[in-house]
Amino acid sequence: MAQTSFSADSCSPRRVLVVGDVMLDRYWFGEVDRISPEAPVPVLKVERIEERLGGAANVARNITALAGTCSLIGALGADDAAASIKRLSIEAGIEDLLLCDPDQPTIVKLRMIGRQQQLLRADFEARPQEHLIEQRNKLVASHIADCGAIVLSDYGKGMLGEIQGLITIARQQRSFVRSGSLPVLVDPKGDDWSAYRGASVITPNRSELRAIIGRWKDEEDLQQSVSNLIAHLELEAILLTRSEEGMTLFDQQGRIDVPALAREVFDVSGAGDTVIAVLAMVLASGKTLREAVPLANKAAGIVVGKLGTAVCSREELFT
């Protein structure tokens, strides 16, 4: 297991720029005590409604919860969900660079929770129009100079279409806090990662990686396959999140394995957002991926013990 002396005092990152699929997570909480007479489904008596930042916005929320600074680029409609995202972004201390298109709805994930169990999720979404991609690129180009890292949060909803243009913009930007170009971190989606070529690090979970390289027969087979993928995509590293098995970082030096922390897993939704947020903050502080991984692992262990998309505070992470 990798060890690090990284501390709260040394975590003074430059601004992180987050770009991707922004959404609103809505929760309807209530009690279920009967089955509907209309169909064999439970009836949820809604007692409380909560709204939280989701998708790329949850990455940004995790960064500011850790006392980092963050700018957020994504697409919204002109509806009540957009208003909620803007309000929540202000409350979270996120710099709002969000684009608005009145012709499309804001992405919303509605989860219905009864007795701490998710009963149903309903998604409301539409892919952004081409003119938003052009505006996105101009925003990134004009705001990237003062950033210490860029996160591309891909939920497959379209805001990261033509992503190579973003990676090219970022890789041409010199980093102020480390040698070389600006770190580009990607939370991937789908079964074709060629679009992510040239990124610094990709952070898949097991199922996402399996969709790319297939099943592996043992750890040696896994390492060889990931090493080949890193070379093929011209990456610096891949961080594989492995749920109860912790995390494995594959990089030019080989690999490091960080075991999962022993705590109850309550809800894994949004844990990947927390992981990439911590990685970005550490890299934006001028530190290395190998220093970042144990902290990201600890943060993930904290948020999976909370219900729904959640954050890890600075106090929780560094105590």
Side-chain angles (χ1 to χ4, degrees):
M1 174 179 173
Q3 298 291 331
T4 178
S5 58
F6 196 65
S7 65
D9 292 338
S10 60
C11 187
S12 300
R14 295 181 66 89
R15 180 175 299 273
V16 176
L17 180 60
V18 177
V19 187
D21 297 306
V22 171
M23 58 193 72
L24 181 68
D25 286 347
R26 278 196 173 122
Y27 295 86
W28 290 1
F29 295 98
E31 290 294 324
V32 174
D33 55 15
R34 65 191 179 97
I35 300 298
S36 171
E38 304 167 354
V41 295
V43 175
L44 177 68
K45 181 182 178 183
V46 178
E47 299 174 342
R48 177 167 54 95
I49 297 175
E50 284 189 19
E51 294 182 329
R52 303 176 188 176
L53 296 172
N58 188 46
V59 178
R61 175 174 168 244
N62 270 270
I63 290 170
T64 58
L66 290 166
T69 54
C70 179
S71 302
L72 176 63
I73 297 176
L76 304 178
D79 47 29
D80 65 327
S84 292
I85 288 174
K86 284 186 163 294
R87 172 180 54 79
L88 292 169
S89 295
I90 292 172
E91 292 174 357
I94 299 165
E95 182 186 20
D96 175 358
L97 301 177
L98 295 165
L99 300 167
C100 178
D101 185 349
D103 295 326
Q104 72 170 53
T106 301
I107 300 173
V108 176
K109 290 183 179 180
L110 170 61
R111 297 175 176 90
M112 301 179 189
I113 312 291
R115 297 183 180 179
Q116 306 301 310
Q117 296 293 320
Q118 185 174 152
L119 304 176
L120 178 70
R121 193 182 92 184
D123 291 0
F124 306 82
E125 60 188 60
R127 298 185 71 81
Q129 299 182 56
E130 186 173 333
H131 70 91
L132 289 180
I133 302 299
E134 297 173 1
Q135 292 179 47
R136 176 205 69 185
N137 289 349
K138 291 178 181 178
L139 268 178
V140 170
S142 62
H143 287 83
I144 202 170
D146 66 342
C147 293
I150 180 170
V151 174
L152 305 179
S153 179
D154 195 352
Y155 275 77
K157 309 302 183 185
M159 197 57 196
L160 288 181
E162 303 176 25
I163 195 174
Q164 264 299 308
L166 288 180
I167 294 175
T168 299
I169 292 170
R171 299 305 276 176
Q172 291 174 345
Q173 179 70 41
R174 304 299 293 179
S175 173
F176 287 93
V177 294
R178 44 190 278 146
S179 61
S181 59
L182 190 74
V184 180
L185 299 88
V186 179
D187 191 351
K189 198 73 173 179
D191 57 6
D192 181 8
W193 289 359
S194 60
Y196 306 138
R197 185 181 304 277
S200 304
V201 57
I202 296 179
T203 61
N205 59 33
R206 285 180 297 193
S207 62
E208 289 167 339
L209 182 62
R210 201 173 287 129
I212 302 300
I213 66 173
R215 294 186 176 274
W216 47 91
K217 60 184 179 181
D218 53 31
E219 289 299 306
E220 183 178 352
D221 182 36
L222 171 62
Q223 180 154 357
Q224 184 59 55
S225 296
V226 174
S227 296
N228 292 341
L229 184 62
I230 289 173
H232 176 66
L233 295 179
E234 302 172 18
L235 309 173
E236 295 176 19
I238 287 178
L239 176 64
L240 173 61
T241 57
R242 313 181 74 170
S243 189
E244 73 280 355
E245 296 177 8
M247 300 179 181
T248 301
L249 177 70
F250 301 91
D251 61 12
Q252 307 293 339
Q253 303 172 55
R255 66 183 283 174
I256 60 170
D257 296 286
V258 182
L261 300 179
R263 65 178 298 149
E264 182 180 3
V265 176
F266 191 74
D267 190 339
V268 299
S269 61
D273 297 336
T274 301
V275 168
I276 203 167
V278 174
L279 292 181
M281 285 190 64
V282 176
L283 292 179
S285 298
K287 306 299 182 180
T288 68
L289 269 174
R290 291 197 164 211
E291 291 175 294
V293 170
L295 275 179
N297 185 61
K298 180 178 180 181
I302 291 168
V303 298
V304 298
K306 302 178 181 181
L307 177 63
T309 47
V311 297
C312 170
S313 71
R314 194 176 181 93
E315 292 71 27
E316 289 173 314
L317 185 59
F318 290 106
T319 56

